[in-house]
Amino acid sequence: MTEEITLPSELIQDGKIEFKNLDQYLAMVDKYVEYGNNFVVTEENMKGAKDEKALINKMVKESASRRSDIEKNMLAPWLPVKEQMMNAEKKLKSAGNNIKVQIDKYDEELKEKWRSNIKLYIESQYQDTPYEPRIPIDEKWLYKKNFNGTEPKDSFIDNELTLSIMTDKANQKTEQNEIKMVKEFASQLNVNPAPYIKQLDNHSLPEVTEGMKFDVRMANQQRESQEAAQRAEREKAISQAQTRQVDEETGEVIKPVEERYDRSFKVFACTREELQEIADFLNGKGIQFQGTSEG
């Protein structure tokens, strides 16, 4: 197939874009598409097949190149305007951000005044009470509808703050009562209440008191086991000592004072050197002796 494709061209005039030869280009493309899809390669037409393939590839490249050129030509008048508009948008954003920063700063300063006045009101409700305020400032409170200027509205106080204050005082009263009960119970069991008071943060009062009783029971069992082991050791020491004296309080063996005896014996047919060895032995043992010589 040797018919050439005429690529489309564009004409931009008076703000309008007109494409020339576009219909002719599309019609010729359809013919080549049909020709290529139905082409059957054989040994006889191998060279022609390669030529047809090269021709179609060339058409694709030329079409893509022309399309890119048309796009550039169409966008050329727009690009400078686009850049100017983008620069203008950046300036507008900068101006808007300048205002936003100031608004955010003003809003945060106002919220800080609201927080401070809420805190002052809450603290005033704890004067002359045994409690300390433990109410966190809820961010959902910090809206203009809840304030006259910077002062909390009565409706806001009635609907939000009063209930929070009453709940906090009631919780603290319960906690103080529970601490008192733990101290009293610990005193009865003769244990340190401090660790059990700390447990009230995560456990109920009944759980804490039950734990206290369990610990005391375990401590008693351990002490009784230790005492039984000590008694067994003392009894063992006594049984093994037999004639040895043992302190019944401590179980320690009292070293007995050995009974000493007086005996006399004769030595026959000893040399002077052997007699000296016997004397040295007796002296080494702390045994008193008295020697006599006969013959």
Side-chain angles (χ1 to χ4, degrees):
M1 188 170 182
T2 58
E3 187 174 358
E4 294 185 1
I5 291 182
T6 301
L7 297 171
S9 60
E10 79 288 353
L11 176 63
I12 303 175
Q13 186 175 0
D14 297 331
K16 295 181 179 180
I17 303 175
E18 179 181 353
F19 295 100
K20 296 181 179 180
N21 305 324
L22 179 59
D23 293 339
Q24 181 182 358
Y25 163 74
L26 295 176
M28 291 302 299
V29 166
D30 288 342
K31 289 182 180 180
Y32 270 95
V33 169
E34 183 179 2
Y35 175 74
N37 288 337
N38 294 319
F39 193 93
V40 178
V41 178
T42 64
E43 184 177 354
E44 290 77 13
N45 67 5
M46 179 62 70
K47 183 180 183 305
K50 292 181 178 180
D51 292 339
E52 294 292 346
K53 175 179 176 295
L55 177 62
I56 291 176
N57 288 342
K58 179 183 177 182
M59 291 178 185
V60 172
K61 291 181 179 179
E62 290 178 348
S63 177
S65 176
R66 177 60 59 84
R67 172 170 52 78
S68 177
D69 291 341
I70 293 174
E71 185 175 7
K72 290 179 181 178
N73 292 336
M74 292 175 62
L75 292 176
W78 160 246
L79 293 179
V81 178
K82 176 183 178 182
E83 183 175 1
Q84 290 176 346
M85 292 184 69
M86 290 177 67
N87 289 334
E89 291 162 8
K90 289 180 181 179
K91 293 177 181 178
L92 286 171
K93 288 181 179 179
S94 177
N97 286 335
N98 175 58
I99 296 174
K100 179 181 182 298
V101 169
Q102 297 180 65
I103 290 174
D104 291 345
K105 181 180 178 182
Y106 173 83
D107 286 344
E108 187 53 41
E109 289 175 350
L110 183 59
K111 285 184 177 181
E112 190 57 38
K113 292 177 182 178
W114 289 344
R115 290 189 189 97
S116 178
N117 288 336
I118 290 175
K119 184 178 178 181
L120 287 174
Y121 175 80
I122 291 174
E123 289 175 347
S124 70
Q125 302 304 301
Y126 284 77
Q127 294 178 0
D128 302 324
T129 72
Y131 313 118
E132 292 291 333
R134 300 186 309 187
I135 302 174
I137 305 300
D138 194 332
E139 289 297 309
K140 73 179 182 181
W141 293 346
L142 304 179
Y143 287 97
K144 189 175 181 180
K145 65 179 182 178
N146 293 328
F147 298 87
N148 288 320
T150 59
E151 297 298 325
K153 289 182 178 180
D154 291 341
S155 58
F156 167 61
I157 291 174
D158 294 339
N159 295 333
E160 296 287 349
L161 299 185
T162 299
L163 178 59
S164 297
I165 291 170
M166 292 175 61
T167 301
D168 183 42
K169 288 180 179 179
N171 289 340
Q172 291 191 51
K173 182 178 181 180
T174 299
E175 292 169 7
Q176 291 181 5
N177 288 337
E178 290 182 344
I179 291 173
K180 180 180 178 181
M181 294 175 68
V182 167
K183 289 181 177 179
E184 291 175 350
F185 196 61
S187 177
Q188 295 173 12
L189 297 179
N190 195 27
V191 297
N192 180 16
Y196 300 102
I197 291 175
K198 184 64 177 176
Q199 290 179 17
L200 289 172
D201 294 339
N202 302 305
H203 299 85
S204 66
L205 178 61
E207 290 174 334
V208 172
T209 55
E210 284 300 316
M212 199 183 310
K213 289 190 290 185
F214 177 80
D215 292 344
V216 170
R217 187 163 57 251
M218 290 296 100
N220 289 338
Q221 290 179 2
Q222 183 177 10
R223 185 176 63 255
E224 291 171 358
S225 297
Q226 291 175 347
E227 291 175 351
Q230 291 172 356
R231 285 196 301 271
E233 286 295 326
R234 288 198 299 269
E235 292 171 358
K236 180 180 179 182
I238 292 171
S239 64
Q240 290 179 345
Q242 294 179 348
T243 60
R244 292 180 298 174
Q245 295 182 6
V246 178
D247 189 317
E248 295 184 357
E249 293 296 328
T250 65
E252 296 179 356
V253 176
I254 301 174
K255 186 176 182 180
V257 177
E258 296 184 15
E259 184 177 357
R260 307 187 73 82
Y261 303 92
D262 293 330
R263 295 288 186 270
S264 62
F265 61 92
K266 290 183 179 182
V267 178
F268 299 95
C270 284
T271 65
R272 184 176 298 277
E273 183 179 351
E274 289 171 340
L275 286 173
Q276 185 60 48
E277 289 179 357
I278 293 172
D280 291 341
F281 173 78
L282 295 174
N283 285 329
K285 291 293 186 176
I287 302 174
Q288 298 179 3
F289 66 92
Q290 183 176 358
T292 60
S293 61
E294 295 180 6

